[in-house]
Amino acid sequence: MDNSETLLQGKSSRDDSIDYHKLSGILNYKIEDNQIRFNFKNASLVIRFLTADIFRIIMANSKQQFNYKSTEAVIDHNLSYNDFKFEENNKELIIKTEKLVIKIEKEKFFLQVFNKEGKLIHQDYSKYSLGWKKKKLRAWKSFKNNERFYGLGEKTGWLDKKGRLYEMWNHDTFVPHVSDTDPLYQSIPFLISFNQNNSYGIYFDNSYRTYFDLGSEGQPYYSFWAEGGVLDYYFFNGPSLKEVISKYSKITGTMPLAPKWSLGYHQSRYSYYPQAKVAELVKKFRDKEIPCDAFHFDIHYMDQYKIYTWNEDRFPDPAAMISKMGKEGIKAVTIIDPGIKKDPEYKLYQEGMENDYFCKYLDGKVFIDKVWPGNCAFPDFTQAKVRNWWSGLQQDFVELGVKGIWNDMNEPAVFNEEDTMDLAVMHQNDGDSGTHRRFHNLYGLLEDQATYKGLKESLDNERPFVLTRAGFAGIQRYSAVWTGDNRSFWDNLKLAMPMLMNMGMSGISFCGTDVGGFTGNSNGELLCRWTQLGAFSPFFRNHCEVRAISQEPWSFGKKYEKIIKKYIELRYKFITHLYNLFYQASKTGIPVMRPLIMEFPEDEECQNLSDQFMFGDSIMIAPVYQPDKDKRMIYLPEGKWFDFWTKEIYHGKKHIIIDAPLATMPILIKAGSIVPLNEKLNYIGEKEIESLELNIFLSEVNNSGSYELYDDDGISYDYQNGIYNITKFDYKYTDNQIIFKINSIQDNYQQEFKDYKLIFNNLTKEPLNIDVDNSKLTKFNYFNNSLEFKVPVTVNKITIKLS
Ligand code: MIG
């Protein structure tokens, strides 16, 4: 007897795998262009090829309606591949593409995937592959040796998700988020199996409540299932982690290029009012010269929590206030909840009732339940007409000057037993209706889609900013995500790292936590450490709860303020680089904030390294996340690493202990890289950045490096008409010279930089002379193994002769 059955008979087991009806016994099959359709006695299944290494499996039993409908997560990708070969013998079916060989053992429909070299990449669990139990549908898969699991979106715990059961059900989780709290606000049913030789991904496209059990009871298999719908999943072959993620992005989309200001620092609390308080806050930031790009307005700005209204006592003239903030470079982001107050005199409630926009029961009764405004109705975002209406609502706020919308409570959260809508409530979904059980996890995604579209239509050639709490796979196409109601305690600072890294690997590049912590009171030390981490999180916002003490950068005294300011400034110095990372993510889906394993896939130490991360491919961040620490142990992968602060060089493939007093968060730069840094700004667009610093971290002689920089106006859609620049910098360091080249690949955008300041670090040989294109450079500085000089941006080639 194998140990799964021993376990399953054990009293404590919750795994009901043995009770499922298992798929078996193919009756017949048919090849139809890019797919093969199989009929079983009481089920049907299709394998459809999208590319030579992305395929999709859809299965339903005869009581469930087989269909090819994807959820809203999947984009119109037009991917289709029919160039496969098919063979059959008495035991097996064999499908060959240019990249994969798929073998299916006929009796149990046991599926195995091999790569071109014949190596096994993935296989079903040997005893059961697919099955159902009433409305539930389930797949069982084999573990591999040395396998790690990543992805699954916004989950607590370590980087490696192995060994736990995860639920996908968008939920307003106000209890403390500790290492096994589940579920939270987002559902991203995308799992990555990492293996040094060959990683793969599985995206389970099902919006019902779903589960992933990665061995929580010690089972010899992992498994995922849904409470309804059909079983519909995609398989993405890597082989690398980066390839798995970009292939997933081909199906669910990448984030659009964000407005550059949204990469700046955001200040929030629940809530800033009245208007005079906001003015005071603007003044404080500017007097203290603490950079800031946005203020968030939480629910108290509204009149009785009625969305798209303003409380006139608190905000007599929002347009004037927003315009004044705008002059100081601070944009307004307003919170919106989906619940619409049931008030016959409230315009949105009237419009919703008159036009049948709200979710209702089958008998026609509108679902009403309590949220902040008291009794509310909820827009049925599954209907195009409702999304259009919602899009149209953005216009008035955009006219007031609002630049971003913060969608909260969109799980949707409701103050009742279920914490959400009654599951029997219907969604019309334009003719393909279903209950809330089917649409719950899509509610936030659809709201964000409507918000994003509306903002885009209302803004004048400006990119919108949307921030959301709830979401589903594909959310990156419309919105940034913050991780909801964390706590002002150290545990949440630690939890933030693996959570954000896994969100990044699940397509959500633009993510961040409430810096300082949401519930409970923060303190100076915690806020310093959190701001340090926040400065390198893709989304950077300080936010706290209504009862919490103030946690603006200056709230805990001068000593802390100085440190906090230093890191917010640092964020802005890295903004050219950060924007470039956002650009790359928008193209490829490869996240801004990455686990080390993505850059060092060979290094076993990195596989579950949860407290360090990469900011792009060359900068490593090692935050301090415990109180009273002034040292940090850091793992350095192979190669040389520069301490960003001291320029000291460390040799990798080992752990080091580095000084990290409160004012210092360790930042290590991989030798061989080029890191652009710009001067400090009080906000994006404050002034033209005339000079861009290019920091070259030389490894050793006979080494080279490069960096490709994307740049545009940071706000408009002109880049879609080719108005952008791509500049490639590269250097070659040989025995007697360094050749540095600047190549313009695209230069349609009138760039702000006038010159580059080159800083070569770790140059142990003295420069004899420097040629800039055809002339000699007379002004340069060489000191302490560091060479510095400026060149105009028009220069193409620099030759540094060495002694
Ligand atoms: O039930 O709008 O997560 O960021 O400040 C609380 C008030 C509602 C929850 C959000 C939080 C926000 C708060 N909201």
Side-chain angles (χ1 to χ4, degrees):
M1 192 163 35
D2 103 352
N3 60 351
S4 68
E5 306 219 329
T6 325
L7 268 165
L8 295 173
Q9 286 159 7
K11 287 194 199 85
S12 62
S13 174
R14 284 179 303 164
D15 187 340
D16 59 353
S17 292
I18 45 170
D19 302 337
Y20 277 70
H21 184 95
K22 310 292 170 354
L23 181 73
S24 77
I26 300 170
L27 297 178
N28 53 53
Y29 60 84
K30 203 173 151 206
I31 298 175
E32 306 166 333
D33 184 38
N34 63 350
Q35 66 180 29
I36 309 168
R37 174 195 285 273
F38 299 89
N39 287 310
F40 298 80
K41 202 169 138 221
N42 41 19
S44 35
L45 182 147
V46 164
I47 302 185
R48 180 182 278 190
F49 287 89
L50 285 79
T51 69
D53 59 4
I54 305 177
F55 63 85
R56 174 179 172 199
I57 291 191
I58 312 164
M59 191 266 298
N61 71 29
S62 32
K63 288 200 189 122
Q64 296 150 334
Q65 265 178 19
F66 185 94
N67 66 71
Y68 295 102
K69 267 178 235 148
S70 295
T71 70
E72 279 296 322
V74 178
I75 58 173
D76 276 335
H77 50 67
N78 287 325
L79 295 174
S80 175
Y81 174 89
N82 60 11
D83 206 12
F84 55 82
K85 297 196 174 57
F86 186 82
E87 291 164 27
E88 179 177 9
N89 59 41
N90 17 349
K91 277 187 73 187
E92 285 174 329
L93 307 168
I94 301 166
I95 309 162
K96 288 184 184 160
T97 74
E98 291 137 67
K99 294 196 171 153
L100 303 175
V101 176
I102 298 161
K103 287 190 186 164
I104 299 163
E105 181 268 311
K106 286 198 270 186
E107 187 43 43
K108 288 184 183 148
F109 207 81
F110 170 68
L111 176 135
Q112 293 181 306
V113 183
F114 300 83
N115 65 13
K116 256 191 4 212
E117 290 76 48
K119 281 236 165 64
L120 182 66
I121 302 169
H122 164 80
Q123 61 179 343
D124 287 342
Y125 176 49
S126 58
K127 290 195 171 171
Y128 7 102
S129 57
L130 300 166
W132 58 87
K133 185 182 156 188
K134 294 195 178 139
K135 288 188 170 161
K136 288 206 253 176
L137 291 144
R138 187 159 178 164
W140 294 268
K141 302 288 185 182
S142 288
F143 288 119
K144 282 170 85 167
N145 288 335
N146 308 317
E147 180 175 38
R148 301 286 186 168
F149 288 109
Y150 306 129
L152 297 182
E154 185 190 56
K155 294 292 175 198
T156 57
W158 305 103
L159 187 64
D160 181 359
K161 308 320 285 176
K162 192 167 61 188
R164 267 180 60 192
L165 170 68
Y166 302 90
E167 182 182 345
M168 298 294 173
W169 185 253
N170 293 357
H171 185 250
D172 177 5
T173 304
F174 190 71
V175 297
H177 302 167
V178 295
S179 58
D180 64 352
T181 310
D182 191 58
L184 297 180
Y185 315 87
Q186 299 258 328
S187 295
I188 317 290
F190 173 56
L191 178 72
I192 302 171
S193 155
F194 171 85
N195 173 281
Q196 270 178 359
N197 303 319
N198 204 319
S199 299
Y200 67 85
I202 285 183
Y203 167 58
F204 187 18
D205 189 35
N206 185 308
S207 61
Y208 285 81
R209 194 190 295 260
T210 57
Y211 295 88
F212 285 78
D213 191 340
L214 306 183
S216 65
E217 296 179 13
Q219 304 95 318
Y221 49 78
Y222 77 91
S223 174
F224 53 90
W225 66 97
E227 289 189 343
V230 301
L231 193 124
D232 182 353
Y233 76 83
Y234 295 72
F235 176 91
F236 311 93
N237 185 37
S240 73
L241 204 46
K242 283 185 181 172
E243 282 164 289
V244 173
I245 296 166
S246 357
K247 283 171 192 170
Y248 167 71
S249 304
K250 290 211 164 88
I251 303 301
T252 62
T254 57
M255 68 164 173
L257 201 51
K260 204 172 188 177
W261 65 262
S262 65
L263 279 52
Y265 175 75
H266 300 236
Q267 182 64 52
S268 184
R269 85 159 282 139
Y270 172 10
S271 309
Y272 287 129
Y273 67 86
Q275 203 166 306
K277 166 86 193 170
V278 175
E280 194 185 299
L281 210 62
V282 174
K283 189 168 178 317
K284 212 142 181 186
F285 270 98
R286 292 308 174 232
D287 285 352
K288 290 176 172 292
E289 296 191 343
I290 299 175
C292 180
D293 258 281
F295 284 175
H296 287 227
F297 290 84
D298 209 327
I299 50 175
H300 289 99
Y301 79 83
M302 301 178 207
D303 171 28
Q304 299 173 356
Y305 304 125
K306 287 184 287 196
I307 56 170
Y308 295 106
T309 67
W310 290 80
N311 176 315
E312 287 172 11
D313 296 330
R314 291 170 181 163
F315 296 95
D317 193 349
M321 173 188 74
I322 292 170
S323 141
K324 260 185 143 171
M325 288 165 56
K327 291 205 177 92
E328 297 294 335
I330 298 178
K331 293 91 192 158
V333 177
T334 45
I335 198 169
I336 291 293
D337 292 355
I340 289 182
K341 187 175 173 64
K342 183 183 175 193
D343 172 350
E345 291 179 357
Y346 173 33
K347 193 168 139 245
L348 297 191
Y349 181 69
Q350 293 167 350
E351 286 180 11
M353 288 303 283
E354 280 161 12
N355 298 296
D356 195 16
Y357 289 157
F358 296 133
C359 296
K360 53 188 189 186
Y361 290 97
L362 260 184
D363 64 10
K365 215 175 99 214
V366 170
F367 171 76
I368 301 285
D369 212 337
K370 291 207 164 42
V371 212
W372 291 117
N375 277 333
C376 282
F378 296 82
D380 180 9
F381 292 113
T382 66
Q383 304 183 54
K385 69 170 185 188
V386 177
R387 291 197 299 275
N388 287 337
W389 173 58
W390 197 260
S391 294
L393 298 182
Q394 315 307 317
Q395 178 78 36
D396 284 358
F397 266 38
V398 166
E399 274 168 20
L400 286 178
V402 169
K403 298 288 186 198
I405 294 288
W406 166 21
N407 282 331
D408 187 22
M409 305 291 277
N410 51 355
E411 293 71 29
V414 182
F415 300 156
N416 61 16
E417 282 275 290
E418 297 270 9
D419 288 341
T420 192
M421 268 189 226
D422 185 336
L423 300 186
V425 168
M426 297 302 290
H427 292 269
Q428 301 311 314
N429 194 38
D430 295 334
D432 173 30
S433 64
T435 64
H436 194 62
R437 279 159 48 82
R438 173 171 163 206
F439 291 103
H440 174 81
N441 282 341
L442 297 174
Y443 196 81
L445 176 81
L446 293 168
E447 183 202 20
D448 294 325
Q449 184 190 86
T451 305
Y452 177 79
K453 188 168 156 266
L455 284 175
K456 193 171 167 181
E457 287 162 355
S458 305
L459 287 161
D460 182 20
N461 190 25
E462 267 186 43
R463 304 170 211 164
F465 173 69
V466 181
L467 176 66
T468 188
R469 196 169 71 174
F472 191 69
I475 189 67
Q476 66 272 9
R477 306 198 299 267
Y478 314 116
S479 185
V481 175
W482 100 102
T483 60
D485 300 341
N486 61 7
R487 224 154 245 259
S488 296
F489 61 20
W490 292 91
D491 306 59
N492 271 179
L493 187 50
K494 176 178 166 193
L495 210 65
M497 293 180 264
M499 189 182 286
L500 296 178
M501 286 191 268
N502 276 306
M503 287 168 82
M505 286 193 278
S506 311
I508 308 168
S509 249
F510 203 176
C511 56
T513 60
D514 280 348
V515 169
F518 180 70
T519 46
N521 295 328
S522 203
N523 61 66
E525 187 187 358
L526 182 62
L527 186 60
C528 281
R529 293 306 194 186
W530 215 316
T531 306
Q532 292 171 348
L533 169 71
F536 292 89
S537 303
F539 176 58
F540 185 21
R541 182 186 71 163
N542 174 317
H543 178 54
C544 68
E545 209 225 356
V546 66
R547 281 161 299 198
I549 59 170
S550 296
Q551 63 182 44
E552 289 81 31
W554 49 82
S555 302
F556 302 102
K558 274 268 163 309
K559 172 181 158 195
Y560 300 111
E561 179 185 328
K562 208 176 134 205
I563 298 171
I564 291 162
K565 181 179 178 199
K566 170 177 158 184
Y567 283 85
I568 299 176
E569 285 176 354
L570 190 64
R571 166 76 166 204
Y572 282 78
K573 289 184 187 165
F574 272 105
I575 214 94
T576 302
H577 177 60
L578 180 60
Y579 189 60
N580 201 33
L581 294 176
F582 267 69
Y583 165 75
Q584 288 167 10
S586 77
K587 286 278 168 198
T588 63
I590 295 176
V592 170
M593 178 175 183
R594 309 173 187 169
L596 269 70
I597 192 67
M598 200 180 275
E599 296 300 330
F600 305 96
E602 310 281 306
D603 192 335
E604 278 178 35
E605 285 284 349
C606 298
Q607 291 181 359
N608 198 12
L609 194 56
S610 304
D611 61 357
Q612 295 172 216
F613 61 90
M614 300 297 293
F615 188 66
D617 60 7
S618 57
I619 303 169
M620 186 216 287
I621 308 295
V624 175
Y625 51 89
Q626 285 170 305
D628 298 307
K629 290 271 176 205
D630 58 10
K631 296 212 166 12
R632 219 213 103 141
M633 184 172 78
I634 298 172
Y635 178 69
L636 299 176
E638 183 117 59
K640 278 190 211 156
W641 294 84
F642 286 77
D643 183 317
F644 173 75
W645 303 109
T646 63
K647 306 289 177 312
E648 192 174 328
I649 296 172
Y650 295 94
H651 292 266
K653 197 85 195 147
K654 63 166 181 267
H655 289 85
I656 58 164
I657 290 174
I658 207 165
D659 280 338
L662 194 56
T664 307
M665 173 178 69
I667 300 174
L668 283 303
I669 314 282
K670 200 171 86 182
S673 43
I674 301 176
V675 176
L677 282 176
N678 52 265
E679 62 189 291
K680 154 194 165 178
L681 294 166
N682 283 311
Y683 55 91
I684 304 299
E686 183 197 15
K687 55 187 173 198
E688 299 245 300
I689 304 174
E690 297 211 335
S691 180
L692 184 70
E693 217 176 87
L694 296 170
N695 294 273
I696 301 115
F697 294 89
L698 296 171
S699 182
E700 62 243 348
V701 177
N702 291 325
N703 205 273
S704 58
S706 66
Y707 185 90
E708 212 172 272
L709 180 66
Y710 171 87
D711 191 23
D712 64 15
D713 63 21
I715 186 74
S716 80
Y717 283 97
D718 294 355
Y719 73 94
Q720 291 178 344
N721 302 318
I723 315 294
Y724 60 86
N725 297 340
I726 293 180
T727 314
K728 190 170 177 189
F729 307 102
D730 61 80
Y731 73 85
K732 234 195 183 108
Y733 179 22
T734 51
D735 226 4
N736 53 3
Q737 65 179 19
I738 296 175
I739 295 180
F740 190 91
K741 286 192 195 149
I742 303 169
N743 262 307
S744 174
I745 294 171
Q746 168 92 352
D747 66 349
N748 288 341
Y749 166 62
Q750 182 59 48
Q751 68 172 355
E752 43 186 326
F753 312 128
K754 304 280 175 288
D755 51 53
Y756 298 124
K757 180 175 181 187
L758 271 53
I759 305 176
F760 291 86
N761 294 289
N762 190 30
L763 182 61
T764 44
K765 291 184 184 183
E766 201 178 336
L768 300 176
N769 66 62
I770 301 174
D771 285 337
V772 174
D773 286 337
N774 295 321
S775 50
K776 227 172 213 59
L777 187 81
T778 46
K779 255 177 69 184
F780 62 85
N781 252 319
Y782 180 68
F783 177 71
N784 242 345
N785 290 346
S786 158
L787 169 67
E788 285 188 27
F789 56 87
K790 271 191 177 180
V791 295
V793 290
T794 47
V795 160
N796 293 310
K797 186 176 170 190
I798 299 152
T799 310
I800 307 165
K801 290 273 179 245
L802 304 171
S803 59

